[in-house]
Amino acid sequence: MREPASRAALPIIEFFKKDAAWEVHWDYQEAPESSILFKRQEYLRGYIDGTMDDLGIHPDKVCCASGLTGSVKRLSRPQAVKLHNALERLLNPIVTKEFTRLQNMANLPHLRLVDPE
């Protein structure tokens, strides 16, 4: 039987310099708590699109962007840092709360139906 995880499998969100520009990449981790990202895809996509618009990131710099995975290239350093921080503030709490919820559900006492006779 699989050992229960002690920490939530948070999405990997990273930014780095490539040539003269910066890139931001993110990817969910395969775990039960990550299912919440699939369930809330529409909301997450809207939030991420709005954040990129607010940061002045032109759509032609976006390779893909969803609540699950994304890749945005040719950014300035301030844009990359702000997008990275916004993604962490968005995705990490959602996954962490789902992890806690699943742990609490697993720790509920199981009731047995006993025949009164």
Side-chain angles (χ1 to χ4, degrees):
M1 190 166 138
R2 188 175 147 198
E3 192 70 25
S6 60
R7 294 184 346 204
L10 298 176
I12 295 173
I13 306 166
E14 56 190 9
F15 70 100
F16 52 88
K17 188 173 185 178
K18 186 170 182 184
D19 300 324
W22 290 79
E23 297 183 6
V24 178
H25 298 269
W26 64 98
D27 193 9
Y28 77 101
Q29 299 302 295
E30 188 68 40
E33 59 269 21
S34 295
S35 66
I36 193 70
L37 299 175
F38 288 92
K39 292 176 187 171
R40 301 195 64 198
Q41 266 186 7
E42 192 173 320
Y43 165 77
L44 295 172
R45 177 63 192 242
Y47 184 96
I48 292 168
D49 285 349
T51 299
M52 288 191 291
D53 186 48
D54 187 49
L55 294 174
I57 298 171
H58 196 274
D60 68 349
K61 296 178 181 180
V62 179
C63 297
C64 66
S66 74
L68 303 169
T69 62
S71 180
V72 184
K73 300 179 178 184
R74 300 184 323 263
L75 300 173
S76 67
R77 183 172 184 357
Q79 285 176 319
V81 170
K82 288 177 183 176
L83 180 58
H84 175 269
N85 293 341
L87 290 167
E88 281 190 339
R89 285 191 315 270
L90 172 67
L91 301 176
N92 289 351
I94 291 172
V95 173
T96 301
K97 286 179 185 176
E98 181 66 4
F99 176 78
T100 303
R101 188 188 74 78
L102 291 173
Q103 273 192 325
N104 290 340
M105 292 294 288
N107 292 332
L108 288 176
H110 293 84
L111 302 176
R112 290 190 186 140
L113 295 176
V114 180
D115 189 19
E117 293 180 68

